[in-house]
Coordinates of all heavy atoms in Angstrom, one line a residue:
M1 N 22.6 41.2 -22.7 CA 22.7 42.2 -23.8 C 23.1 41.4 -25.1 O 22.5 41.6 -26.1 CB 23.7 43.3 -23.4 CG 24.1 44.1 -24.6 SD 22.8 45.2 -25.1 CE 23.6 46.1 -26.4
S2 N 24.1 40.6 -25.0 CA 24.6 40.0 -26.3 C 23.5 39.0 -26.9 O 23.4 39.0 -28.1 CB 25.9 39.3 -26.0 OG 25.7 38.2 -25.0
E3 N 22.8 38.3 -26.0 CA 21.7 37.4 -26.5 C 20.7 38.2 -27.2 O 20.2 37.9 -28.3 CB 21.1 36.6 -25.4 CG 22.0 35.4 -25.0 CD 21.3 34.5 -23.9 OE1 20.1 34.3 -24.1 OE2 22.0 34.1 -23.0
E4 N 20.3 39.4 -26.6 CA 19.3 40.2 -27.1 C 19.8 40.8 -28.5 O 19.0 40.8 -29.5 CB 19.0 41.4 -26.2 CG 18.0 42.4 -26.7 CD 17.8 43.6 -25.8 OE1 18.0 43.4 -24.6 OE2 17.5 44.6 -26.3
L5 N 21.0 41.2 -28.5 CA 21.6 41.7 -29.8 C 21.6 40.7 -30.8 O 21.2 40.9 -32.0 CB 23.0 42.3 -29.5 CG 23.7 42.9 -30.8 CD1 22.9 44.0 -31.4 CD2 25.1 43.3 -30.5
A6 N 22.1 39.5 -30.5 CA 22.1 38.4 -31.4 C 20.8 38.1 -32.0 O 20.6 37.8 -33.2 CB 22.7 37.1 -30.7
L7 N 19.7 38.0 -31.2 CA 18.4 37.8 -31.7 C 17.9 38.9 -32.6 O 17.3 38.6 -33.7 CB 17.4 37.6 -30.5 CG 17.5 36.4 -29.7 CD1 16.6 36.4 -28.4 CD2 17.2 35.1 -30.5
K8 N 18.1 40.1 -32.3 CA 17.7 41.2 -33.1 C 18.4 41.2 -34.4 O 17.8 41.4 -35.5 CB 18.0 42.6 -32.4 CG 17.0 42.9 -31.3 CD 17.4 44.2 -30.7 CE 16.4 44.6 -29.6 NZ 16.7 45.8 -28.9
V9 N 19.7 41.0 -34.4 CA 20.5 40.9 -35.6 C 20.1 39.8 -36.5 O 19.8 39.9 -37.7 CB 22.0 40.8 -35.3 CG1 22.8 40.5 -36.6 CG2 22.6 42.1 -34.7
R10 N 19.9 38.6 -35.9 CA 19.5 37.4 -36.7 C 18.1 37.6 -37.3 O 17.9 37.3 -38.5 CB 19.5 36.2 -35.8 CG 20.0 34.9 -36.4 CD 20.1 33.8 -35.5 NE 21.1 34.0 -34.5 CZ 21.0 33.7 -33.2 NH1 19.9 33.2 -32.7 NH2 22.0 33.9 -32.4
S11 N 17.2 38.2 -36.6 CA 15.9 38.5 -37.0 C 15.9 39.5 -38.2 O 15.2 39.3 -39.2 CB 15.0 39.0 -35.9 OG 13.8 39.4 -36.4
E12 N 16.6 40.5 -38.0 CA 16.7 41.6 -39.1 C 17.4 41.1 -40.3 O 17.0 41.4 -41.4 CB 17.4 42.8 -38.5 CG 17.2 44.1 -39.3 CD 15.7 44.5 -39.4 OE1 14.9 44.3 -38.5 OE2 15.3 44.9 -40.5
L13 N 18.4 40.3 -40.2 CA 19.1 39.7 -41.3 C 18.1 38.8 -42.1 O 18.1 38.8 -43.3 CB 20.4 38.9 -40.9 CG 21.5 39.7 -40.4 CD1 22.7 38.8 -40.0 CD2 22.0 40.7 -41.5
F14 N 17.4 38.0 -41.3 CA 16.4 37.1 -42.0 C 15.3 37.9 -42.8 O 15.0 37.6 -43.9 CB 15.7 36.2 -40.9 CG 14.7 35.3 -41.5 CD1 15.1 34.1 -42.1 CD2 13.3 35.6 -41.4 CE1 14.2 33.2 -42.6 CE2 12.4 34.7 -41.9 CZ 12.8 33.5 -42.5
K15 N 14.8 39.0 -42.2 CA 13.8 39.8 -42.8 C 14.4 40.4 -44.1 O 13.6 40.5 -45.1 CB 13.4 41.0 -41.9 CG 12.5 40.6 -40.8 CD 12.2 41.9 -40.0 CE 11.7 41.5 -38.6 NZ 11.5 42.7 -37.7
R16 N 15.6 40.8 -44.1 CA 16.3 41.4 -45.3 C 16.9 40.4 -46.2 O 17.4 40.8 -47.2 CB 17.4 42.4 -44.8 CG 16.8 43.5 -44.0 CD 18.0 44.3 -43.4 NE 17.5 45.3 -42.5 CZ 17.8 46.6 -42.7 NH1 18.5 47.0 -43.7 NH2 17.3 47.5 -41.8
R17 N 16.7 39.1 -45.9 CA 17.3 38.0 -46.7 C 18.8 38.3 -46.9 O 19.3 38.3 -48.1 CB 16.6 37.9 -48.0 CG 15.2 37.4 -47.8 CD 14.5 37.2 -49.0 NE 13.1 36.7 -48.7 CZ 12.2 36.4 -49.6 NH1 12.5 36.5 -50.9 NH2 11.0 36.0 -49.2
M18 N 19.5 38.6 -45.9 CA 20.9 39.1 -45.9 C 21.7 38.1 -45.0 O 21.2 37.6 -44.0 CB 21.0 40.5 -45.3 CG 22.2 41.2 -45.4 SD 22.0 42.9 -44.8 CE 23.6 43.4 -44.8
S19 N 22.9 37.8 -45.4 CA 23.7 36.9 -44.6 C 24.6 37.6 -43.6 O 24.8 38.8 -43.8 CB 24.6 36.0 -45.5 OG 25.6 36.8 -46.1
Q20 N 25.1 36.9 -42.6 CA 26.0 37.5 -41.7 C 27.3 37.9 -42.4 O 27.9 38.9 -42.1 CB 26.3 36.5 -40.6 CG 26.6 37.2 -39.3 CD 26.6 36.2 -38.1 OE1 25.6 35.7 -37.7 NE2 27.8 35.9 -37.6
K21 N 27.6 37.1 -43.4 CA 28.8 37.4 -44.2 C 28.7 38.7 -45.0 O 29.6 39.5 -45.1 CB 29.1 36.3 -45.2 CG 30.4 36.3 -45.9 CD 30.6 35.1 -46.7 CE 32.0 35.1 -47.4 NZ 32.3 33.9 -48.1
E22 N 27.5 39.0 -45.5 CA 27.2 40.3 -46.2 C 27.3 41.4 -45.3 O 27.9 42.5 -45.6 CB 25.8 40.2 -46.9 CG 25.7 39.3 -48.1 CD 24.3 39.1 -48.6 OE1 23.4 38.8 -47.7 OE2 24.1 39.3 -49.8
L23 N 26.7 41.3 -44.1 CA 26.8 42.4 -43.1 C 28.3 42.6 -42.7 O 28.7 43.8 -42.6 CB 26.0 42.0 -41.8 CG 26.0 43.0 -40.7 CD1 25.6 44.4 -41.1 CD2 25.2 42.5 -39.5
A24 N 29.0 41.6 -42.5 CA 30.4 41.7 -42.1 C 31.2 42.4 -43.2 O 32.0 43.3 -42.9 CB 31.1 40.3 -41.9
S25 N 30.9 42.1 -44.5 CA 31.5 42.8 -45.6 C 31.2 44.3 -45.6 O 32.1 45.1 -45.9 CB 31.0 42.1 -46.9 OG 31.6 42.8 -48.0
M26 N 29.9 44.6 -45.3 CA 29.5 46.0 -45.2 C 30.3 46.8 -44.1 O 30.6 48.0 -44.3 CB 28.1 46.1 -44.9 CG 27.2 45.7 -46.1 SD 25.4 45.7 -45.6 CE 25.1 47.5 -45.7
L27 N 30.6 46.1 -43.1 CA 31.4 46.6 -41.9 C 32.9 46.6 -42.1 O 33.6 47.3 -41.4 CB 31.0 45.9 -40.6 CG 29.6 46.0 -40.2 CD1 29.3 45.0 -39.1 CD2 29.3 47.4 -39.6
G28 N 33.3 45.8 -43.1 CA 34.8 45.7 -43.3 C 35.5 44.8 -42.3 O 36.6 45.0 -42.0
I29 N 34.7 43.8 -41.8 CA 35.3 42.9 -40.8 C 35.0 41.5 -41.3 O 34.2 41.3 -42.1 CB 34.8 43.1 -39.4 CG1 33.3 43.0 -39.3 CG2 35.2 44.5 -38.9 CD1 32.7 43.1 -37.9
S30 N 35.7 40.5 -40.6 CA 35.4 39.1 -41.0 C 34.1 38.6 -40.4 O 33.6 39.2 -39.3 CB 36.5 38.2 -40.5 OG 36.5 38.0 -39.1
S31 N 33.5 37.6 -41.0 CA 32.2 37.1 -40.4 C 32.5 36.4 -39.1 O 31.6 36.5 -38.2 CB 31.6 36.1 -41.4 OG 32.5 35.1 -41.8
V32 N 33.7 35.9 -38.8 CA 34.0 35.3 -37.5 C 34.0 36.4 -36.5 O 33.5 36.2 -35.4 CB 35.3 34.5 -37.6 CG1 35.7 34.1 -36.2 CG2 35.2 33.4 -38.5
Y33 N 34.7 37.5 -36.8 CA 34.8 38.6 -35.8 C 33.4 39.2 -35.6 O 33.0 39.5 -34.4 CB 35.7 39.7 -36.4 CG 36.0 40.9 -35.4 CD1 36.4 40.7 -34.1 CD2 35.8 42.2 -35.9 CE1 36.6 41.7 -33.3 CE2 36.0 43.2 -35.0 CZ 36.4 43.0 -33.7 OH 36.6 44.1 -32.9
L34 N 32.6 39.3 -36.6 CA 31.2 39.8 -36.4 C 30.4 38.9 -35.5 O 29.7 39.3 -34.6 CB 30.5 39.9 -37.8 CG 29.0 40.2 -37.7 CD1 28.8 41.6 -37.1 CD2 28.4 40.2 -39.1
S35 N 30.5 37.6 -35.7 CA 29.9 36.6 -34.8 C 30.3 36.8 -33.4 O 29.5 36.8 -32.4 CB 30.2 35.2 -35.3 OG 29.6 34.3 -34.4
D36 N 31.6 37.0 -33.2 CA 32.2 37.2 -31.8 C 31.6 38.5 -31.2 O 31.2 38.5 -30.0 CB 33.7 37.3 -31.8 CG 34.4 36.0 -32.0 OD1 33.7 34.9 -31.9 OD2 35.6 36.0 -32.3
I37 N 31.4 39.5 -32.0 CA 30.9 40.8 -31.5 C 29.4 40.5 -31.1 O 29.0 40.9 -30.0 CB 31.0 41.9 -32.5 CG1 32.4 42.3 -32.7 CG2 30.1 43.1 -32.1 CD1 32.7 43.2 -33.9
I38 N 28.6 40.0 -32.0 CA 27.2 39.8 -31.8 C 26.9 38.9 -30.6 O 26.0 39.2 -29.8 CB 26.5 39.2 -33.0 CG1 26.6 40.2 -34.2 CG2 25.1 38.7 -32.8 CD1 26.2 39.6 -35.5
H39 N 27.7 37.9 -30.3 CA 27.5 37.0 -29.2 C 28.2 37.4 -27.9 O 28.2 36.6 -27.0 CB 27.9 35.6 -29.6 CG 26.9 35.0 -30.7 ND1 27.2 35.1 -32.0 CD2 25.7 34.4 -30.5 CE1 26.2 34.5 -32.7 NE2 25.3 34.2 -31.8
G40 N 28.8 38.6 -27.9 CA 29.4 39.1 -26.7 C 30.8 38.6 -26.4 O 31.3 38.8 -25.3
R41 N 31.4 37.8 -27.3 CA 32.8 37.3 -27.0 C 33.9 38.4 -27.2 O 35.0 38.3 -26.7 CB 33.1 36.1 -27.9 CG 32.2 34.9 -27.5 CD 32.5 33.7 -28.4 NE 32.1 33.8 -29.7 CZ 31.0 33.3 -30.3 NH1 30.1 32.7 -29.5 NH2 30.7 33.4 -31.5
K42 N 33.5 39.4 -28.0 CA 34.4 40.6 -28.1 C 33.6 41.8 -27.7 O 32.5 42.0 -28.2 CB 34.8 40.8 -29.6 CG 35.6 39.6 -30.2 CD 37.0 39.6 -29.7 CE 37.7 38.5 -30.5 NZ 39.0 38.2 -30.0
N43 N 34.1 42.6 -26.8 CA 33.3 43.7 -26.3 C 34.2 44.9 -25.9 O 33.8 45.8 -25.2 CB 32.4 43.3 -25.1 CG 33.2 42.8 -24.0 OD1 34.5 42.8 -24.0 ND2 32.6 42.3 -23.0
G44 N 35.3 45.0 -26.6 CA 36.2 46.2 -26.3 C 35.7 47.4 -27.0 O 34.6 47.4 -27.7
P45 N 36.4 48.5 -27.0 CA 36.0 49.8 -27.6 C 35.7 49.7 -29.1 O 34.8 50.2 -29.6 CB 37.1 50.7 -27.3 CG 38.0 50.1 -26.2 CD 37.7 48.7 -26.3
K46 N 36.6 48.9 -29.8 CA 36.4 48.8 -31.2 C 35.1 48.0 -31.5 O 34.4 48.3 -32.4 CB 37.6 48.1 -31.8 CG 37.7 48.1 -33.3 CD 37.9 49.6 -33.8 CE 38.0 49.6 -35.3 NZ 38.1 50.9 -35.8
A47 N 34.9 46.9 -30.7 CA 33.7 46.1 -30.9 C 32.4 47.0 -30.7 O 31.4 46.9 -31.4 CB 33.7 44.9 -30.0
Q48 N 32.5 47.9 -29.7 CA 31.4 48.8 -29.4 C 31.1 49.7 -30.6 O 29.9 50.0 -30.9 CB 31.6 49.6 -28.1 CG 31.7 48.8 -26.8 CD 30.4 47.9 -26.6 OE1 29.3 48.4 -26.8 NE2 30.7 46.7 -26.3
E49 N 32.1 50.2 -31.2 CA 32.0 51.0 -32.4 C 31.3 50.2 -33.5 O 30.4 50.7 -34.2 CB 33.3 51.5 -33.0 CG 33.8 52.7 -32.3 CD 32.9 53.9 -32.4 OE1 32.5 54.2 -33.5 OE2 32.6 54.5 -31.4
H50 N 31.7 48.9 -33.7 CA 31.0 48.1 -34.7 C 29.6 47.8 -34.3 O 28.7 47.8 -35.2 CB 31.8 46.7 -34.8 CG 33.1 46.9 -35.5 ND1 33.3 47.5 -36.7 CD2 34.3 46.5 -35.1 CE1 34.6 47.4 -37.1 NE2 35.2 46.8 -36.1
I51 N 29.3 47.7 -33.1 CA 27.9 47.5 -32.6 C 27.0 48.7 -33.0 O 25.9 48.5 -33.5 CB 27.8 47.2 -31.1 CG1 28.3 45.8 -30.8 CG2 26.3 47.3 -30.6 CD1 28.5 45.4 -29.4
K52 N 27.6 49.9 -32.8 CA 26.9 51.1 -33.3 C 26.6 51.1 -34.7 O 25.5 51.4 -35.2 CB 27.7 52.3 -32.9 CG 27.7 52.7 -31.5 CD 28.5 53.9 -31.2 CE 28.8 54.2 -29.8 NZ 29.7 55.3 -29.5
H53 N 27.5 50.6 -35.5 CA 27.4 50.6 -37.0 C 26.3 49.5 -37.4 O 25.5 49.7 -38.3 CB 28.7 50.3 -37.7 CG 29.6 51.5 -37.6 ND1 30.9 51.4 -37.4 CD2 29.4 52.8 -37.8 CE1 31.5 52.5 -37.4 NE2 30.6 53.5 -37.6
I54 N 26.4 48.4 -36.7 CA 25.4 47.3 -36.9 C 24.0 47.8 -36.7 O 23.1 47.6 -37.5 CB 25.7 46.0 -36.0 CG1 27.0 45.4 -36.5 CG2 24.6 45.0 -36.1 CD1 27.6 44.4 -35.5
R55 N 23.8 48.4 -35.5 CA 22.5 49.0 -35.2 C 22.0 50.0 -36.2 O 20.9 50.0 -36.5 CB 22.5 49.6 -33.8 CG 22.7 48.6 -32.6 CD 22.6 49.3 -31.3 NE 22.8 48.4 -30.2 CZ 21.8 47.6 -29.6 NH1 20.6 47.7 -30.1 NH2 22.1 46.9 -28.6
K56 N 22.9 50.8 -36.7 CA 22.6 51.8 -37.7 C 22.2 51.2 -39.0 O 21.2 51.5 -39.6 CB 23.7 52.8 -37.9 CG 23.4 54.0 -38.7 CD 24.6 54.9 -38.8 CE 24.2 56.1 -39.7 NZ 25.3 57.1 -39.8
I57 N 23.0 50.2 -39.5 CA 22.7 49.6 -40.7 C 21.4 48.8 -40.7 O 20.6 48.9 -41.6 CB 23.9 48.6 -41.1 CG1 25.1 49.4 -41.5 CG2 23.5 47.7 -42.2 CD1 26.4 48.5 -41.6
L58 N 21.2 48.1 -39.6 CA 19.9 47.3 -39.5 C 18.8 48.0 -38.8 O 17.7 47.4 -38.7 CB 20.3 46.0 -38.7 CG 21.3 45.1 -39.3 CD1 21.6 43.9 -38.4 CD2 20.9 44.6 -40.7
N59 N 19.0 49.2 -38.4 CA 17.9 50.0 -37.8 C 17.3 49.3 -36.5 O 16.1 49.1 -36.4 CB 16.8 50.4 -38.7 CG 17.2 51.3 -39.8 OD1 18.0 52.2 -39.6 ND2 16.8 51.0 -41.0
I60 N 18.2 48.8 -35.7 CA 17.7 48.1 -34.4 C 18.2 48.9 -33.2 O 19.1 49.7 -33.3 CB 18.2 46.7 -34.4 CG1 19.7 46.5 -34.5 CG2 17.5 45.9 -35.4 CD1 20.2 45.1 -34.4

């Protein structure tokens, strides 16, 4: 799951010419925490909420 999410996020960010840092800023979290969420290193309830927001923002 995390690899699939990471690929989708990376692809969509590339298409939008958007950085991970910009996405993190939109979510109100650090880029390091965002990276941990995307790569499955953080997967608690709060991280799951952020994943929902990431999917909504990027339409994935």
Side-chain angles (χ1 to χ4, degrees):
M1 169 68 179
S2 61
E3 282 184 41
E4 179 185 331
L5 179 63
L7 289 173
K8 286 181 179 178
V9 169
R10 220 174 291 136
S11 173
E12 199 57 39
L13 289 176
F14 180 78
K15 287 180 197 172
R16 295 170 185 240
R17 296 182 180 182
M18 188 177 176
S19 70
Q20 210 169 286
K21 189 173 184 176
E22 290 171 306
L23 178 58
S25 179
M26 290 174 79
L27 293 165
I29 60 177
S30 74
S31 55
V32 173
Y33 184 53
L34 176 59
S35 179
D36 285 346
I37 291 170
I38 291 170
H39 291 95
R41 292 184 290 263
K42 301 284 185 188
N43 59 6
K46 193 67 176 174
Q48 294 303 315
E49 278 298 310
H50 289 306
I51 288 171
K52 286 180 190 174
H53 290 136
I54 291 165
R55 289 183 184 277
K56 186 175 181 183
I57 290 169
L58 298 178
N59 295 318
I60 54 174

